[in-house]
mmCIF file of all heavy atoms in Angstrom:
data_model
loop_
_atom_site.group_PDB
_atom_site.id
_atom_site.type_symbol
_atom_site.label_atom_id
_atom_site.label_comp_id
_atom_site.label_asym_id
_atom_site.label_seq_id
_atom_site.Cartn_x
_atom_site.Cartn_y
_atom_site.Cartn_z
ATOM 1 N N ASN A 3 -106.550 9.604 16.705
ATOM 2 C CA ASN A 3 -107.919 10.147 16.979
ATOM 3 C C ASN A 3 -108.910 9.016 16.854
ATOM 4 O O ASN A 3 -109.073 8.448 15.743
ATOM 5 C CB ASN A 3 -108.286 11.270 16.038
ATOM 6 C CG ASN A 3 -109.590 11.932 16.390
ATOM 7 O OD1 ASN A 3 -110.402 11.332 17.029
ATOM 8 N ND2 ASN A 3 -109.694 13.149 16.018
ATOM 9 N N LYS A 4 -109.607 8.642 17.941
ATOM 10 C CA LYS A 4 -110.484 7.512 17.875
ATOM 11 C C LYS A 4 -111.662 7.724 16.969
ATOM 12 O O LYS A 4 -112.321 6.775 16.487
ATOM 13 C CB LYS A 4 -110.999 7.138 19.286
ATOM 14 C CG LYS A 4 -109.946 6.392 20.100
ATOM 15 C CD LYS A 4 -110.578 5.716 21.278
ATOM 16 C CE LYS A 4 -109.547 4.863 22.021
ATOM 17 N NZ LYS A 4 -110.114 4.143 23.172
ATOM 18 N N LEU A 5 -112.024 8.988 16.731
ATOM 19 C CA LEU A 5 -113.086 9.223 15.749
ATOM 20 C C LEU A 5 -112.684 8.668 14.381
ATOM 21 O O LEU A 5 -113.538 8.248 13.642
ATOM 22 C CB LEU A 5 -113.398 10.730 15.684
ATOM 23 C CG LEU A 5 -114.208 11.295 16.831
ATOM 24 C CD1 LEU A 5 -114.255 12.804 16.780
ATOM 25 C CD2 LEU A 5 -115.586 10.695 16.824
ATOM 26 N N ALA A 6 -111.390 8.734 14.057
ATOM 27 C CA ALA A 6 -110.967 8.207 12.770
ATOM 28 C C ALA A 6 -111.187 6.670 12.752
ATOM 29 O O ALA A 6 -111.442 6.104 11.662
ATOM 30 C CB ALA A 6 -109.489 8.466 12.549
ATOM 31 N N VAL A 7 -111.029 6.025 13.839
ATOM 32 C CA VAL A 7 -111.180 4.577 13.853
ATOM 33 C C VAL A 7 -112.594 4.160 13.486
ATOM 34 O O VAL A 7 -112.804 3.075 12.915
ATOM 35 C CB VAL A 7 -110.805 4.021 15.239
ATOM 36 C CG1 VAL A 7 -110.986 2.550 15.392
ATOM 37 C CG2 VAL A 7 -109.433 4.455 15.690
ATOM 38 N N ALA A 8 -113.547 5.003 13.793
ATOM 39 C CA ALA A 8 -114.918 4.707 13.470
ATOM 40 C C ALA A 8 -115.153 4.530 11.942
ATOM 41 O O ALA A 8 -116.049 3.810 11.561
ATOM 42 C CB ALA A 8 -115.841 5.823 13.982
ATOM 43 N N VAL A 9 -114.276 5.012 11.160
ATOM 44 C CA VAL A 9 -114.381 4.923 9.683
ATOM 45 C C VAL A 9 -114.408 3.429 9.360
ATOM 46 O O VAL A 9 -115.150 2.927 8.511
ATOM 47 C CB VAL A 9 -113.197 5.627 9.002
ATOM 48 C CG1 VAL A 9 -113.214 5.342 7.540
ATOM 49 C CG2 VAL A 9 -113.214 7.090 9.290
ATOM 50 N N LEU A 10 -113.477 2.665 9.931
ATOM 51 C CA LEU A 10 -113.284 1.275 9.559
ATOM 52 C C LEU A 10 -114.009 0.340 10.430
ATOM 53 O O LEU A 10 -114.499 -0.701 9.958
ATOM 54 C CB LEU A 10 -111.752 0.971 9.558
ATOM 55 C CG LEU A 10 -111.285 -0.248 8.755
ATOM 56 C CD1 LEU A 10 -111.627 -0.076 7.291
ATOM 57 C CD2 LEU A 10 -109.823 -0.437 8.900
ATOM 58 N N VAL A 11 -113.987 0.583 11.750
ATOM 59 C CA VAL A 11 -114.517 -0.396 12.668
ATOM 60 C C VAL A 11 -115.966 -0.209 13.016
ATOM 61 O O VAL A 11 -116.557 -1.101 13.649
ATOM 62 C CB VAL A 11 -113.656 -0.441 13.925
ATOM 63 C CG1 VAL A 11 -112.221 -0.596 13.631
ATOM 64 C CG2 VAL A 11 -113.823 0.860 14.764
ATOM 65 N N GLY A 12 -116.537 0.906 12.708
ATOM 66 C CA GLY A 12 -117.922 1.138 13.016
ATOM 67 C C GLY A 12 -118.178 1.549 14.488
ATOM 68 O O GLY A 12 -119.203 1.334 15.021
ATOM 69 N N ALA A 13 -117.145 2.174 15.096
ATOM 70 C CA ALA A 13 -117.257 2.517 16.502
ATOM 71 C C ALA A 13 -118.164 3.703 16.666
ATOM 72 O O ALA A 13 -118.325 4.574 15.747
ATOM 73 C CB ALA A 13 -115.931 2.828 17.112
ATOM 74 N N THR A 14 -118.791 3.869 17.846
ATOM 75 C CA THR A 14 -119.580 5.058 18.149
ATOM 76 C C THR A 14 -119.093 5.633 19.486
ATOM 77 O O THR A 14 -118.753 4.934 20.382
ATOM 78 C CB THR A 14 -121.060 4.757 18.244
ATOM 79 O OG1 THR A 14 -121.739 5.926 18.605
ATOM 80 C CG2 THR A 14 -121.396 3.667 19.216
ATOM 81 N N PHE A 15 -118.998 6.934 19.510
ATOM 82 C CA PHE A 15 -118.448 7.606 20.719
ATOM 83 C C PHE A 15 -119.500 8.606 21.252
ATOM 84 O O PHE A 15 -119.194 9.568 21.881
ATOM 85 C CB PHE A 15 -117.174 8.333 20.337
ATOM 86 C CG PHE A 15 -116.186 7.367 19.777
ATOM 87 C CD1 PHE A 15 -116.000 7.297 18.416
ATOM 88 C CD2 PHE A 15 -115.453 6.564 20.621
ATOM 89 C CE1 PHE A 15 -115.087 6.386 17.890
ATOM 90 C CE2 PHE A 15 -114.523 5.669 20.095
ATOM 91 C CZ PHE A 15 -114.345 5.617 18.725
ATOM 92 N N SER A 16 -120.784 8.296 21.099
ATOM 93 C CA SER A 16 -121.851 9.155 21.560
ATOM 94 C C SER A 16 -122.191 8.991 22.964
ATOM 95 O O SER A 16 -122.994 9.706 23.515
ATOM 96 C CB SER A 16 -123.125 9.005 20.672
ATOM 97 O OG SER A 16 -123.534 7.634 20.750
ATOM 98 N N GLY A 17 -121.645 7.959 23.593
ATOM 99 C CA GLY A 17 -121.941 7.706 24.966
ATOM 100 C C GLY A 17 -121.636 6.290 25.370
ATOM 101 O O GLY A 17 -121.217 5.486 24.511
ATOM 102 N N HIS A 18 -121.902 5.936 26.616
ATOM 103 C CA HIS A 18 -121.653 4.555 27.055
ATOM 104 C C HIS A 18 -122.722 3.612 26.452
ATOM 105 O O HIS A 18 -123.869 4.015 26.279
ATOM 106 C CB HIS A 18 -121.672 4.484 28.611
ATOM 107 C CG HIS A 18 -120.550 5.285 29.246
ATOM 108 N ND1 HIS A 18 -119.280 4.913 29.101
ATOM 109 C CD2 HIS A 18 -120.634 6.404 29.970
ATOM 110 C CE1 HIS A 18 -118.544 5.794 29.824
ATOM 111 N NE2 HIS A 18 -119.346 6.736 30.325
ATOM 112 N N ALA A 19 -122.253 2.385 26.247
ATOM 113 C CA ALA A 19 -123.180 1.380 25.710
ATOM 114 C C ALA A 19 -124.291 1.111 26.741
ATOM 115 O O ALA A 19 -124.054 1.150 27.950
ATOM 116 C CB ALA A 19 -122.431 0.118 25.453
ATOM 117 N N ALA A 20 -125.475 0.860 26.249
ATOM 118 C CA ALA A 20 -126.564 0.509 27.171
ATOM 119 C C ALA A 20 -126.251 -0.751 27.921
ATOM 120 O O ALA A 20 -125.670 -1.705 27.389
ATOM 121 C CB ALA A 20 -127.915 0.344 26.389
ATOM 122 N N GLN A 21 -126.636 -0.750 29.163
ATOM 123 C CA GLN A 21 -126.351 -1.913 30.036
ATOM 124 C C GLN A 21 -127.581 -2.826 30.029
ATOM 125 O O GLN A 21 -128.674 -2.395 30.307
ATOM 126 C CB GLN A 21 -126.082 -1.441 31.478
ATOM 127 C CG GLN A 21 -124.857 -0.587 31.569
ATOM 128 C CD GLN A 21 -123.573 -1.279 31.173
ATOM 129 O OE1 GLN A 21 -123.356 -2.443 31.576
ATOM 130 N NE2 GLN A 21 -122.847 -0.744 30.262
ATOM 131 N N HIS A 22 -127.350 -4.084 29.666
ATOM 132 C CA HIS A 22 -128.377 -5.110 29.604
ATOM 133 C C HIS A 22 -127.914 -6.316 30.373
ATOM 134 O O HIS A 22 -126.699 -6.526 30.484
ATOM 135 C CB HIS A 22 -128.738 -5.490 28.179
ATOM 136 C CG HIS A 22 -129.237 -4.317 27.385
ATOM 137 N ND1 HIS A 22 -130.522 -3.800 27.447
ATOM 138 C CD2 HIS A 22 -128.619 -3.558 26.437
ATOM 139 C CE1 HIS A 22 -130.695 -2.838 26.593
ATOM 140 N NE2 HIS A 22 -129.543 -2.641 25.948
ATOM 141 N N GLN A 23 -128.856 -7.124 30.799
ATOM 142 C CA GLN A 23 -128.525 -8.320 31.498
ATOM 143 C C GLN A 23 -128.263 -9.460 30.498
ATOM 144 O O GLN A 23 -129.100 -9.771 29.649
ATOM 145 C CB GLN A 23 -129.660 -8.769 32.433
ATOM 146 C CG GLN A 23 -129.886 -7.762 33.605
ATOM 147 C CD GLN A 23 -128.696 -7.745 34.527
ATOM 148 O OE1 GLN A 23 -128.115 -8.778 34.822
ATOM 149 N NE2 GLN A 23 -128.342 -6.546 34.945
ATOM 150 N N HIS A 24 -127.050 -9.962 30.548
ATOM 151 C CA HIS A 24 -126.765 -11.233 29.843
ATOM 152 C C HIS A 24 -125.573 -11.874 30.519
ATOM 153 O O HIS A 24 -124.783 -11.160 31.123
ATOM 154 C CB HIS A 24 -126.448 -10.952 28.358
ATOM 155 C CG HIS A 24 -125.340 -10.006 28.106
ATOM 156 N ND1 HIS A 24 -125.406 -8.646 28.070
ATOM 157 C CD2 HIS A 24 -123.984 -10.300 27.912
ATOM 158 C CE1 HIS A 24 -124.254 -8.120 27.859
ATOM 159 N NE2 HIS A 24 -123.375 -9.054 27.793
ATOM 160 N N GLU A 25 -125.489 -13.205 30.358
ATOM 161 C CA GLU A 25 -124.454 -13.954 31.080
ATOM 162 C C GLU A 25 -123.407 -14.412 30.038
ATOM 163 O O GLU A 25 -123.728 -15.051 29.023
ATOM 164 C CB GLU A 25 -125.067 -15.127 31.749
ATOM 165 C CG GLU A 25 -124.094 -15.963 32.568
ATOM 166 C CD GLU A 25 -124.731 -17.147 33.209
ATOM 167 O OE1 GLU A 25 -125.927 -17.373 33.045
ATOM 168 O OE2 GLU A 25 -124.007 -17.908 33.906
ATOM 169 N N TYR A 26 -122.154 -14.109 30.353
ATOM 170 C CA TYR A 26 -121.013 -14.575 29.499
ATOM 171 C C TYR A 26 -120.641 -15.994 29.941
ATOM 172 O O TYR A 26 -120.667 -16.352 31.149
ATOM 173 C CB TYR A 26 -119.843 -13.700 29.581
ATOM 174 C CG TYR A 26 -119.974 -12.367 28.850
ATOM 175 C CD1 TYR A 26 -120.206 -11.145 29.484
ATOM 176 C CD2 TYR A 26 -119.776 -12.436 27.466
ATOM 177 C CE1 TYR A 26 -120.253 -10.002 28.741
ATOM 178 C CE2 TYR A 26 -119.865 -11.217 26.757
ATOM 179 C CZ TYR A 26 -120.107 -10.038 27.366
ATOM 180 O OH TYR A 26 -120.177 -8.857 26.640
ATOM 181 N N HIS A 27 -120.268 -16.797 28.939
ATOM 182 C CA HIS A 27 -119.637 -18.075 29.159
ATOM 183 C C HIS A 27 -118.262 -18.060 28.498
ATOM 184 O O HIS A 27 -118.040 -17.174 27.652
ATOM 185 C CB HIS A 27 -120.540 -19.232 28.625
ATOM 186 C CG HIS A 27 -121.826 -19.235 29.240
ATOM 187 N ND1 HIS A 27 -122.137 -19.877 30.437
ATOM 188 C CD2 HIS A 27 -123.083 -18.726 28.838
ATOM 189 C CE1 HIS A 27 -123.385 -19.774 30.763
ATOM 190 N NE2 HIS A 27 -123.978 -19.088 29.792
ATOM 191 N N TYR A 28 -117.436 -19.002 28.806
ATOM 192 C CA TYR A 28 -116.088 -18.971 28.349
ATOM 193 C C TYR A 28 -115.613 -20.303 27.883
ATOM 194 O O TYR A 28 -116.019 -21.344 28.422
ATOM 195 C CB TYR A 28 -115.116 -18.428 29.447
ATOM 196 C CG TYR A 28 -115.468 -17.061 29.904
ATOM 197 C CD1 TYR A 28 -116.366 -16.918 31.023
ATOM 198 C CD2 TYR A 28 -114.956 -15.918 29.347
ATOM 199 C CE1 TYR A 28 -116.722 -15.605 31.439
ATOM 200 C CE2 TYR A 28 -115.265 -14.638 29.805
ATOM 201 C CZ TYR A 28 -116.203 -14.515 30.827
ATOM 202 O OH TYR A 28 -116.554 -13.249 31.309
ATOM 203 N N THR A 29 -114.759 -20.293 26.891
ATOM 204 C CA THR A 29 -114.050 -21.540 26.446
ATOM 205 C C THR A 29 -112.638 -21.158 26.085
ATOM 206 O O THR A 29 -112.391 -19.979 25.721
ATOM 207 C CB THR A 29 -114.785 -22.195 25.259
ATOM 208 O OG1 THR A 29 -114.135 -23.435 24.975
ATOM 209 C CG2 THR A 29 -114.748 -21.350 24.010
ATOM 210 N N GLU A 30 -111.731 -22.090 26.058
ATOM 211 C CA GLU A 30 -110.363 -21.814 25.746
ATOM 212 C C GLU A 30 -110.116 -22.252 24.274
ATOM 213 O O GLU A 30 -110.408 -23.412 23.923
ATOM 214 C CB GLU A 30 -109.397 -22.492 26.659
ATOM 215 C CG GLU A 30 -107.950 -22.132 26.363
ATOM 216 C CD GLU A 30 -106.938 -22.696 27.402
ATOM 217 O OE1 GLU A 30 -107.117 -22.362 28.588
ATOM 218 O OE2 GLU A 30 -106.058 -23.422 27.008
ATOM 219 N N ILE A 31 -109.581 -21.369 23.495
ATOM 220 C CA ILE A 31 -109.257 -21.643 22.062
ATOM 221 C C ILE A 31 -107.833 -21.154 21.810
ATOM 222 O O ILE A 31 -107.565 -19.958 21.962
ATOM 223 C CB ILE A 31 -110.259 -20.954 21.101
ATOM 224 C CG1 ILE A 31 -111.682 -21.460 21.327
ATOM 225 C CG2 ILE A 31 -109.810 -21.124 19.647
ATOM 226 C CD1 ILE A 31 -112.757 -20.787 20.491
ATOM 227 N N ALA A 32 -106.953 -22.045 21.401
ATOM 228 C CA ALA A 32 -105.588 -21.728 21.131
ATOM 229 C C ALA A 32 -104.928 -20.948 22.249
ATOM 230 O O ALA A 32 -104.207 -20.022 21.998
ATOM 231 C CB ALA A 32 -105.498 -20.927 19.798
ATOM 232 N N GLY A 33 -105.230 -21.412 23.441
ATOM 233 C CA GLY A 33 -104.576 -20.768 24.660
ATOM 234 C C GLY A 33 -105.183 -19.404 25.066
ATOM 235 O O GLY A 33 -104.681 -18.769 25.983
ATOM 236 N N LYS A 34 -106.290 -19.013 24.432
ATOM 237 C CA LYS A 34 -106.975 -17.744 24.776
ATOM 238 C C LYS A 34 -108.332 -18.066 25.338
ATOM 239 O O LYS A 34 -109.121 -18.934 24.824
ATOM 240 C CB LYS A 34 -107.046 -16.878 23.511
ATOM 241 C CG LYS A 34 -105.748 -16.631 22.829
ATOM 242 C CD LYS A 34 -105.956 -15.886 21.531
ATOM 243 C CE LYS A 34 -104.642 -15.810 20.736
ATOM 244 N NZ LYS A 34 -104.219 -17.095 20.219
ATOM 245 N N LYS A 35 -108.783 -17.293 26.337
ATOM 246 C CA LYS A 35 -110.135 -17.374 26.890
ATOM 247 C C LYS A 35 -111.106 -16.588 26.047
ATOM 248 O O LYS A 35 -110.978 -15.365 25.898
ATOM 249 C CB LYS A 35 -110.168 -16.944 28.343
ATOM 250 C CG LYS A 35 -111.488 -17.160 29.019
ATOM 251 C CD LYS A 35 -111.445 -16.756 30.505
ATOM 252 C CE LYS A 35 -111.393 -15.324 30.696
ATOM 253 N NZ LYS A 35 -111.546 -14.932 32.130
ATOM 254 N N ILE A 36 -112.085 -17.249 25.429
ATOM 255 C CA ILE A 36 -112.999 -16.653 24.447
ATOM 256 C C ILE A 36 -114.343 -16.563 25.174
ATOM 257 O O ILE A 36 -114.936 -17.598 25.684
ATOM 258 C CB ILE A 36 -113.107 -17.416 23.186
ATOM 259 C CG1 ILE A 36 -111.737 -17.487 22.474
ATOM 260 C CG2 ILE A 36 -114.123 -16.753 22.241
ATOM 261 C CD1 ILE A 36 -111.092 -16.232 22.127
ATOM 262 N N ALA A 37 -114.916 -15.358 25.181
ATOM 263 C CA ALA A 37 -116.254 -15.146 25.875
ATOM 264 C C ALA A 37 -117.322 -15.164 24.807
ATOM 265 O O ALA A 37 -117.183 -14.680 23.668
ATOM 266 C CB ALA A 37 -116.200 -13.731 26.531
ATOM 267 N N TYR A 38 -118.485 -15.685 25.243
ATOM 268 C CA TYR A 38 -119.653 -15.676 24.347
ATOM 269 C C TYR A 38 -120.926 -15.655 25.263
ATOM 270 O O TYR A 38 -120.878 -15.930 26.430
ATOM 271 C CB TYR A 38 -119.681 -16.910 23.435
ATOM 272 C CG TYR A 38 -119.806 -18.250 24.185
ATOM 273 C CD1 TYR A 38 -121.064 -18.844 24.453
ATOM 274 C CD2 TYR A 38 -118.673 -18.904 24.624
ATOM 275 C CE1 TYR A 38 -121.150 -20.052 25.101
ATOM 276 C CE2 TYR A 38 -118.777 -20.078 25.337
ATOM 277 C CZ TYR A 38 -120.028 -20.694 25.555
ATOM 278 O OH TYR A 38 -120.157 -21.864 26.203
ATOM 279 N N ALA A 39 -122.008 -15.308 24.618
ATOM 280 C CA ALA A 39 -123.319 -15.265 25.317
ATOM 281 C C ALA A 39 -124.357 -15.749 24.342
ATOM 282 O O ALA A 39 -124.278 -15.530 23.160
ATOM 283 C CB ALA A 39 -123.652 -13.893 25.787
ATOM 284 N N CYS A 40 -125.357 -16.449 24.914
ATOM 285 C CA CYS A 40 -126.469 -16.975 24.077
ATOM 286 C C CYS A 40 -127.803 -16.827 24.772
ATOM 287 O O CYS A 40 -127.860 -16.821 26.005
ATOM 288 C CB CYS A 40 -126.238 -18.487 23.779
ATOM 289 S SG CYS A 40 -124.771 -18.930 22.784
ATOM 290 N N GLN A 41 -128.840 -16.781 24.024
ATOM 291 C CA GLN A 41 -130.188 -16.814 24.554
ATOM 292 C C GLN A 41 -131.065 -17.606 23.599
ATOM 293 O O GLN A 41 -130.784 -17.691 22.402
ATOM 294 C CB GLN A 41 -130.740 -15.437 24.735
ATOM 295 C CG GLN A 41 -130.883 -14.590 23.461
ATOM 296 C CD GLN A 41 -131.565 -13.292 23.698
ATOM 297 O OE1 GLN A 41 -132.454 -13.129 24.475
ATOM 298 N NE2 GLN A 41 -131.094 -12.183 22.965
ATOM 299 N N GLY A 42 -132.095 -18.235 24.131
ATOM 300 C CA GLY A 42 -132.979 -19.079 23.308
ATOM 301 C C GLY A 42 -132.464 -20.457 23.132
ATOM 302 O O GLY A 42 -131.260 -20.732 23.469
ATOM 303 N N GLU A 43 -133.272 -21.313 22.584
ATOM 304 C CA GLU A 43 -132.913 -22.709 22.315
ATOM 305 C C GLU A 43 -133.498 -23.173 21.007
ATOM 306 O O GLU A 43 -134.521 -22.683 20.569
ATOM 307 C CB GLU A 43 -133.433 -23.621 23.443
ATOM 308 C CG GLU A 43 -132.878 -23.369 24.804
ATOM 309 C CD GLU A 43 -133.357 -24.341 25.884
ATOM 310 O OE1 GLU A 43 -134.267 -25.071 25.549
ATOM 311 O OE2 GLU A 43 -132.851 -24.255 27.007
ATOM 312 N N GLY A 44 -132.788 -24.100 20.426
ATOM 313 C CA GLY A 44 -133.259 -24.667 19.102
ATOM 314 C C GLY A 44 -132.132 -25.265 18.308
ATOM 315 O O GLY A 44 -130.973 -25.075 18.644
#
């Protein structure tokens, strides 16, 4: 039951996540493609 998973992982099942604009970038780490996103500079 995925509701049980929320106990440990903090999941929410109240609806779909809000859609926002952000751009993913990717790098390879230990043979896996890792996604990240950033905003701002400094």
Side-chain angles (χ1 to χ4, degrees):
N3 187 334
K4 283 196 173 182
L5 283 170
V7 181
V9 175
L10 198 60
V11 306
T14 177
F15 303 98
S16 58
H18 295 292
Q21 296 299 312
H22 300 281
Q23 293 296 318
H24 60 273
E25 182 180 3
Y26 282 104
H27 301 276
Y28 301 89
T29 185
E30 185 172 302
I31 297 175
K34 307 172 186 69
K35 186 173 73 172
I36 302 299
Y38 64 92
C40 295
Q41 61 175 325
E43 295 181 354

